[in-house]
């Protein structure tokens, strides 16, 4: 007896209890249920989904109810997680219906798609609502593949990618060593099991909707904040409610990434798509060693436009955006400023730009993606006088002019502005008389010292007035940058003031030299200079602005006269390498064939009393989508052909007030390019849109 008990105790403690007593492992078997059985407890959620969708019963049944039923049959009674939220039978279906309801509630407060006219928002509201619904429905559909399987009594494993039928009786077995969040990459692979051909075809009908849906269903959430932020917020609300968390706190917080991260990601995406020309004449960016310099206004406007198109929030003012980028060290600063002034030289072409500087490693994290710097390209930082700056620090440069008094000969050279290399100064702007002596009078030295002590905000303006007199072509200007944006508050007033006053230069040049003053008097003058500068500050600014406005007015008048001169003759656009020519051919053919409608409120082409009005940049973006030609390049090229008028302020954008045909809606403002005689580009219309009225000249 003793030996028998001893033997039994040895077996008991040496082996698992299941082996000693032959106790089978507990398995929770479940049987396959129909969609009706699975959805019966969730009628309140289905009713709210139907109410928000706002479709007819037939359309709701086909596009919403059927996909939900297929989803329910696919996930059956599986939990949403093993030990986290909704970790019980039917938890996955319950969680998913909650996410759908939350997402549709959030979508109701969103304007989708962003950046389009009200008519387009109303016309496309149903397809965007459906895209949000599909994203919410499928956001966890990959879990029955990556996280767990349905296991039959025979031991056969089944998941959504299996070609066989689901077992009639099953248990849920989670995979050991599963990869976290891998399920987010799978919805595109199983979408066809939930949506039928008609639903997928409807989503494909709108390229922008389908693009964002593809990004989301493949797990690339950063490329579609438009949808991902809605679904992530809806998911967080469901999880918080199930775990007893603070739902109000979740609703109040935003899942949006910081602005500087979203800006940099958008820029990287645009460069990957070759949406910005680099390292060529007139490009948007130029590389120099381990840096890349972007034309400041062009970069900010184009990236902002892309972010808005993707549904992201972004400040309207460029200065706020630059402050954000500088604060988080996305930009390489120029001392304490964001803007760099540089001269870019490519072969015999050179131009001065206001640029933003980035570390090339931030813009192109992979060395393989980084463009090669051309041997014939040089980017040189310059001061406000256009002179090269010695870069003593990799993060900043000194931009203050030298304070040391130069020798008389060099001073004389400095006082005479150097003409542009490729253009001679026109005779009509030559000063009437110039001093023959190369020796600078003592008064001139005193004047220069006073300039050094001007308030900082006047240094740049004063230097611009001393710049070389531009030629007639320069005075005309293309002002093409203004056509890229509707945000007129962002324009930098400093960059507008580029036209010196020729009469004042002539008067200064004809002044007789005054006798030199004793050093003691010069010293006393220097002591009162700050007071004098503060007294004359407003007068000096008003004088500078008046001179700039006068120069701009002359250049606009000259441009519009040139446009009027060729208004009666048709312009030929035959160059296949010319973006403007491609745009005009696309436009004329589209209008003639009816593919590009005109004169309706939602249209981008209107015939008005003043000529042909093209809603910009919308019409050029439509051109890019259909031809793959960059809309910014086409728009700029067109404004350089002297076929469109300019406003009195010198930009290409006119504003029209458009009234609704029914009279029920308030008038709204649309902006675009005005071509005075559409016949010269081959367009004719016998009908004028009487609902448009010009509100700026």
């Amino acid at each position: 007896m003793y030996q028998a008990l001893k033997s039994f105790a040895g077996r008991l403690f040496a082996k698992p209890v299941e082996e000693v007593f032959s106790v089978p492992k507990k398995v929770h078997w479940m049987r396959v249920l129909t969609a009706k059985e699975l959805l019966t407890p969730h009628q309140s959620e289905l009713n709210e989904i139907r109410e928000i969708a706002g479709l007819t019963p037939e359309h709701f049944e086909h596009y919403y109810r059927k996909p939900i039923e297929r989803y329910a049959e696919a996930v059956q009674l599986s939990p949403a997680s093993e030990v986290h939220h909704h970790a019980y039978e039917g938890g996955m279906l319950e969680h998913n219906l909650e996410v759908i309801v939350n997402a549709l509630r959030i979508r109701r407060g969103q304007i989708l798609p962003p950046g389009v006219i009200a008519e387009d928002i109303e016309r496309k509201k149903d397809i965007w609502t459906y895209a949000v619904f599909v994203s919410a429905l499928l956001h966890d559909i990959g879990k029955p593949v990556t996280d767990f399987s349905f296991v039959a009594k025979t031991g056969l494993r089944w998941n959504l990618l299996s070609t066989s039928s689901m077992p009639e009786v099953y248990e849920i077995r989670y995979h050991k060593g599963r990869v976290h969040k891998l399920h987010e990459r799978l919805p595109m692979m199983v979408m066809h099991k939930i949506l039928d051909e008609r639903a997928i075809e409807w989503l494909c009908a709108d390229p922008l909707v389908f693009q964002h849906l593809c990004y989301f269903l493949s797990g690339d959430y950063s490329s579609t904040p438009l949808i991902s932020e809605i679904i992530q917020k809806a998911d967080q609300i469901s999880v918080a409610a199930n775990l007893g968390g603070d739902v109000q706190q979740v609703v109040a917080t935003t899942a949006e990434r910081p602005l500087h991260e979203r800006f940099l990601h958008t820029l990287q995406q645009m460069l990957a798509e070759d949406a910005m020309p680099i390292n060529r004449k007139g490009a948007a960016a130029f590389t120099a060693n381990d840096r890349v310099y972007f034309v400041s206004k062009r970069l900010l406007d184009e990236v902002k436009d892309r972010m808005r198109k993707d549904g992201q929030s972004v400040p309207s003012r460029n200065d706020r955006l630059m402050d954000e980028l500088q604060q988080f060290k996305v930009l390489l600063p120029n001392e304490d400023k964001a803007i760099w002034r540089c001269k870019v030289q490519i072969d015999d072409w050179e131009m001065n730009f206001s640029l933003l500087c980035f570390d090339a490693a931030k813009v192109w994290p992979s060395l393989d993606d980084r463009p090669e710097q051309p041997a014939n390209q040089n980017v040189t930082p310059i001061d406000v006088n256009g002179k090269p700056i010695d870069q003593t620090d990799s993060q900043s440069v000194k931009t203050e002019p030298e304070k040391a008094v130069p020798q008389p000969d060099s001073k004389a050279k400095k006082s005479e502005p150097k003409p542009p290399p490729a253009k001679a100064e026109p005779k009509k702007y030559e000063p009437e008389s110039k001093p023959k002596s190369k020796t600078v009078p003592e008064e001139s030295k005193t004047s220069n010292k006073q300039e050094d002590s001007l308030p900082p905000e006047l240094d740049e303006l004063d230097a611009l007035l001393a710049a070389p007199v531009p030629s007639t072509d320069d005075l005309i200007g293309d002002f093409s940058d203004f056509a890229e944006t509707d945000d007129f508050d962002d324009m930098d007033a400093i960059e507008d003031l580029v036209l010196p006053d020729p009469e004042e230069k002539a008067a200064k040049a004809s002044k007789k030299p005054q006798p030199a003053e004793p050093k003691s008097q010069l010293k006393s003058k220097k002591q009162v200079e700050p007071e004098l500068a503060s007294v004359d500050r407003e007068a000096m600014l008003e004088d500078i602005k008046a001179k700039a406005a006068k120069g701009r007015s002359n250049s606009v008048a000259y441009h519009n006269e040139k446009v009027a001169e060729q208004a009666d003759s048709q312009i030929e656009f035959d160059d296949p390498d010319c973006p403007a020519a491609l745009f005009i051919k696309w436009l004329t053919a589209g209008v003639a064939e009816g593919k590009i409608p005109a004169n309706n409120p939602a249209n981008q082409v209107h015939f008005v009393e003043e000529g042909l009005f093209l809603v910009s940049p919308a019409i050029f973006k439509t051109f890019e989508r259909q031809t793959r030609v960059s809309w910014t390049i086409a728009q700029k090229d067109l404004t350089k052909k002297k076929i469109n008028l300019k406003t009195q302020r010198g930009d290409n954008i006119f504003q029209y007030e458009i009234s609704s045909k029914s009279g029920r809606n308030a008038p709204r403002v649309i902006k675009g390019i005005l071509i005075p005689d559409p016949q010269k580009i081959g367009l004719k219309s016998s009908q004028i849109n009487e609902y448009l009225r010009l509100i700026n000249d």
Side-chain angles (χ1 to χ4, degrees), residues 359-417:
D359 187 342
K362 284 190 175 181
V363 177
W364 294 285
S366 172
L367 288 173
D368 297 334
D369 298 333
R370 214 167 292 176
E372 294 184 6
Q373 180 180 345
N376 60 343
Q377 175 177 297
N378 187 34
V379 181
T380 307
I382 57 176
D383 60 20
V384 294
N385 297 316
K387 296 190 176 296
I389 297 172
D390 181 22
Q391 290 184 254
T392 57
D393 187 352
S394 62
Q395 297 297 322
S396 63
V397 297
K398 300 294 181 183
T399 57
E400 297 179 358
E402 295 181 359
K403 305 256 180 164
V405 179
Q407 295 300 321
D409 287 344
S410 64
K411 188 73 179 180
K413 289 180 181 179
K414 185 176 180 181
S415 64
E416 295 181 13

Side-chain angles (χ1 to χ4, degrees), residues 151-163:
V151 182
K153 287 186 174 181
T154 60
L156 179 67
R157 290 179 176 267
W158 183 93
N159 62 48
L160 290 183
L161 296 180
S162 300
T163 56

Side-chain angles (χ1 to χ4, degrees), residues 42 45 86 88 90-99 238 242:
H42 306 290
E45 288 88 350
H86 298 86
Y88 44 78
M92 188 167 184
L93 178 59
E94 178 184 320
H95 168 65
N96 217 59
L97 290 171
E98 290 175 357
V99 172
S238 173
N242 182 254

Side-chain angles (χ1 to χ4, degrees), residues 184-234:
E184 296 176 353
R185 304 287 179 180
L186 267 68
M188 280 291 288
M189 297 180 66
V190 296
M191 178 174 66
H192 65 283
K193 291 180 175 287
I194 308 299
L195 303 182
D196 64 10
E197 292 82 358
R198 285 173 57 190
I200 296 176
E201 184 178 358
W202 183 30
L203 292 167
C204 292
D206 190 304
L208 185 59
V209 170
F210 191 63
Q211 170 190 331
H212 283 278
L213 191 62
C214 287
Y215 282 140
F216 182 85
L217 296 183
S218 59
D220 188 4
Y221 296 162
S222 61
S223 295
T224 177
L226 201 63
I227 292 178
S228 65
E229 290 176 10
I230 294 177
I231 306 304
Q232 288 174 18
K233 178 71 68 178

Side-chain angles (χ1 to χ4, degrees), residues 383-386 401 417 451 454 457-468 497-498 500 544:
D383 60 20
V384 294
N385 297 316
E451 289 174 5
L454 289 176
E457 60 267 32
L458 296 182
D459 286 345
E460 191 169 358
L461 300 179
D462 191 65
L464 287 169
L465 287 181
L497 308 179
V498 297
I544 291 170

Side-chain angles (χ1 to χ4, degrees), residues 244-281:
D246 188 350
V247 175
Q248 295 301 321
Q249 178 69 19
V250 175
V251 174
T253 57
T254 176
E256 190 175 77
R257 290 191 303 164
L259 173 61
H260 66 280
E261 291 184 9
R262 293 185 286 116
F263 180 93
L264 190 58
H265 175 82
T266 304
L267 174 59
Q268 292 170 346
Q269 188 176 0
M270 293 176 68
L271 292 173
E273 297 170 358
D274 295 327
M276 286 188 175
I278 298 176
N279 290 342
R280 62 172 185 255
K281 299 176 183 179

